[in-house]
Amino acid sequence: MASIDTSIYKRPEELLQNLIRFDTTNPPGNELPLMQYIDSLLTAAGFDTAFIAKETNRPNLFTRLKGRGEAPPLLLYGHADVVTAANQKWTYPPFEGMIADGYVWGRGALDMKCGLAMMIAALLRAKAENFQPAGDIVFCAMCDEETGGACGAKFLVREHMDLFKDIKYAISEFGGYTMYIDGKKFYLIQVAEKHHCAVEITFHGPSGHGSIPVKNSAMYKMGKALVALNDKQLPVHISAVTERMIKLIASHISEPDSAYFKQLLDPSKTDAMLEIIREKTGNFFDPLLHNTVNAIMVKGGVNINVVPGKVTLYLDGRILPDFNDNDLRNELINVVGHDCDVKITNYEQARADADLSMFDMLSDILKEKEPDCIPIPIIISASTDARLLAKLGIQTYGYLPIDLPEGFDFMKSVHAADERIPVASMHSGADAIYRVLERYGQ
Ligand SMILES: [Zn+2]
């Protein structure tokens, strides 16, 4: 590693390259060397830092930019671990942080070392320019997001609540990136996320000798249920955030797409409209308008010559913020029927409402930089550490401004081969985060 140069904030793409070069594939994560690098930058710039660790080689790093005491603290947090790049075909090696064709390439370029680099750049710039925000800015680089946060957010929220004292709002992933509809550029600002829920459906039927045909077996019932889940949608739900998002989109695009989007908000037409817009927008809107399940695993049968009397199907359920596990269970029973046991085995309830107080400010920052862009609030279909911070009453905004060219699908690039971010976007993103520090509490 080169000697510590805190002016690296002027080159956020280089900061990102350095972060990518630490292989923090989780598992095992091994985030310590990367955290030590961030620590060296922050301490060289004059920040006091602290490592809070459940496991020594997997610390979380905290620091604080002192504010003027005129607003409560604002949290900036991001995870330092990444998912595996194994068995993927990359154009450039995933942990070299190459710059080519105007992009920084590598695992974590989008999810979310780019965001960490933007936040660190904003903090270093604040120090360099002697800027004091209205409220303290608390920064936390967290480990272990990709496998649930046992060493990261979950551990911090359970055992170090005091570190988040008085914090109401936070900036983190999983939003701020661009999506184009009808040639219009939208920035998606995450304000809520779906709740994860594990479901087991058990089917019972006659067992018997593998040599004698058995009708209406547990396997057959499971097959019927899988077909029903494939062919039928769960009911349509239009939450307040999604309604605002869809109305904003509809008001900016041209006919006939505008009319299709407006009709998404009529539950009797939603599913038909989703089919129509799928061609242009893929499956993006479907999970924002339904609770969903995907069948993931099956357990049934032990010996090849014994027909099993019981088969269990394991499903990944995702519930909209204003619904709960009971709602999903009832919706599933309506599809698969009563001749089985539908059981919720794990449900992590997160925040039901979204506090949009900071949305206009975040949106204005993007519009000042790009007057033609349209920031919209979104619920994300996946879940992040935000669900854990929400337990402390913290509203996270997924706001890592990532300016992608039209045709570049953010969701398809995250966790995939050739993850990459435009170099120019690192500059505009770091600047946008810095403007958040300037505007917060004003
Ligand atoms: Zn992430």
Side-chain angles (χ1 to χ4, degrees), residues 390-441:
K391 293 183 195 303
L392 302 178
I394 298 174
Q395 164 73 46
T396 294
Y397 296 94
Y399 185 76
L400 308 175
I402 298 173
D403 183 3
L404 300 168
E406 195 164 357
F408 189 120
D409 187 332
F410 176 84
M411 290 304 288
K412 280 190 185 151
S413 308
V414 166
H415 293 200
D418 286 349
E419 187 179 348
R420 62 194 187 279
I421 186 168
V423 169
S425 177
M426 286 305 299
H427 284 263
S428 57
D431 186 61
I433 298 291
Y434 186 74
R435 291 188 192 200
V436 173
L437 305 193
E438 287 182 324
R439 300 285 172 84
Y440 174 70

Side-chain angles (χ1 to χ4, degrees), residues 166-192:
D166 299 328
I167 296 174
K168 288 273 168 286
Y169 300 105
I171 300 289
S172 190
E173 65 178 350
F174 200 91
Y177 60 92
T178 48
M179 183 172 79
Y180 297 79
I181 305 171
D182 262 0
K184 294 280 165 47
K185 185 177 188 176
F186 296 89
Y187 275 95
L188 280 46
I189 301 179
Q190 177 200 329
V191 298

Side-chain angles (χ1 to χ4, degrees), residues 353-381:
D353 61 325
D355 175 346
L356 269 65
S357 310
M358 274 177 65
F359 180 80
D360 287 344
M361 183 261 274
L362 298 175
S363 167
D364 287 348
I365 289 173
L366 296 171
K367 284 194 283 197
E368 283 161 23
K369 295 168 82 66
E370 286 183 67
D372 290 337
C373 78
I374 308 141
I376 53 174
I378 60 155
I379 295 172
I380 61 156
S381 54

Side-chain angles (χ1 to χ4, degrees), residues 12-326:
E13 73 281 16
E14 185 183 326
L15 190 43
L16 173 60
Q17 288 181 288
N18 290 346
L19 297 183
I20 288 172
R21 287 169 188 154
F22 294 94
D23 180 350
T24 52
T25 301
N26 183 13
N30 188 29
E31 295 93 343
L32 178 63
L34 179 146
M35 295 293 189
Q36 286 170 328
Y37 168 66
I38 298 174
D39 184 58
S40 70
L41 284 171
L42 293 173
T43 50
F47 284 95
D48 290 327
T49 58
F51 279 6
I52 314 283
K54 187 173 177 197
E55 288 174 20
T56 319
N57 66 338
R58 309 200 64 186
N60 302 280
L61 172 66
F62 273 85
T63 194
R64 186 176 281 258
L65 174 68
K66 272 313 266 178
R68 305 192 297 271
E70 295 161 12
L74 171 70
L75 174 65
L76 306 183
Y77 69 94
H79 65 88
D81 59 323
V82 293
V83 296
T84 184
N87 304 315
Q88 294 179 347
K89 210 168 169 311
W90 285 68
T91 306
Y92 301 105
F95 297 102
E96 283 188 16
M98 296 265 296
I99 289 184
D101 313 320
Y103 288 86
V104 183
W105 299 67
R107 175 54 85 229
L110 296 170
D111 181 14
M112 63 162 279
K113 286 177 172 172
C114 64
L116 276 183
M118 289 174 197
M119 292 173 186
I120 296 164
L123 290 173
L124 295 176
R125 179 173 163 192
K127 272 280 188 221
E129 297 182 2
N130 247 324
F131 169 69
Q132 252 203 328
D136 285 5
I137 305 297
V138 176
F139 169 70
C140 181
M142 292 180 186
C143 64
D144 197 22
E145 190 267 351
E146 297 289 2
T147 59
C151 290
K154 201 171 269 180
F155 159 71
L156 294 168
V157 165
R158 274 192 197 149
E159 297 185 35
H160 294 277
M161 279 172 71
D162 49 307
L163 293 165
F164 303 100
K165 196 170 168 290
D166 299 328
I167 296 174
K168 288 273 168 286
Y169 300 105
I171 300 289
S172 190
E173 65 178 350
F174 200 91
Y177 60 92
T178 48
M179 183 172 79
Y180 297 79
I181 305 171
D182 262 0
K184 294 280 165 47
K185 185 177 188 176
F186 296 89
Y187 275 95
L188 280 46
I189 301 179
Q190 177 200 329
V191 298
E193 52 188 45
K194 289 179 88 173
H195 305 168
H196 184 245
C197 177
V199 186
E200 286 180 27
I201 307 182
T202 303
F203 304 87
H204 296 275
S207 60
H209 196 284
S211 66
I212 312 289
V214 173
K215 297 295 180 189
N216 295 312
S217 66
M219 274 303 174
Y220 166 74
K221 290 176 185 173
M222 182 191 68
K224 272 205 323 188
L226 284 170
V227 170
L229 286 169
N230 185 74
D231 294 349
K232 292 181 194 163
Q233 285 274 39
L234 298 184
V236 170
H237 301 297
I238 296 163
S239 59
V241 170
T242 300
E243 184 175 352
R244 181 166 168 179
M245 170 189 78
I246 288 174
K247 282 183 173 164
L248 267 168
I249 294 173
S251 69
H252 284 89
I253 58 178
S254 47
E255 299 294 353
D257 289 338
S258 175
Y260 299 149
F261 272 84
K262 280 182 199 139
Q263 290 178 77
L264 280 177
L265 298 175
D266 173 353
S268 68
K269 296 185 179 147
T270 306
D271 288 336
M273 291 303 128
L274 281 172
E275 279 309 314
I276 294 175
I277 66 168
R278 202 181 298 276
E279 196 187 316
K280 280 188 181 169
T281 60
N283 271 343
F284 182 83
F285 292 95
D286 184 334
L288 309 186
L289 291 155
H290 302 92
N291 297 322
T292 63
V293 289
N294 268 309
I296 305 291
M297 292 184 296
V298 172
K299 194 162 102 189
V302 180
N303 292 333
I304 191 65
N305 60 353
V306 181
V307 176
K310 180 178 139 182
V311 176
T312 303
L313 184 62
Y314 298 82
L315 303 106
D316 179 340
R318 304 292 173 134
I319 304 175
L320 288 160
D322 31 4
F323 290 82
N324 62 36
D325 52 340
N326 241 332

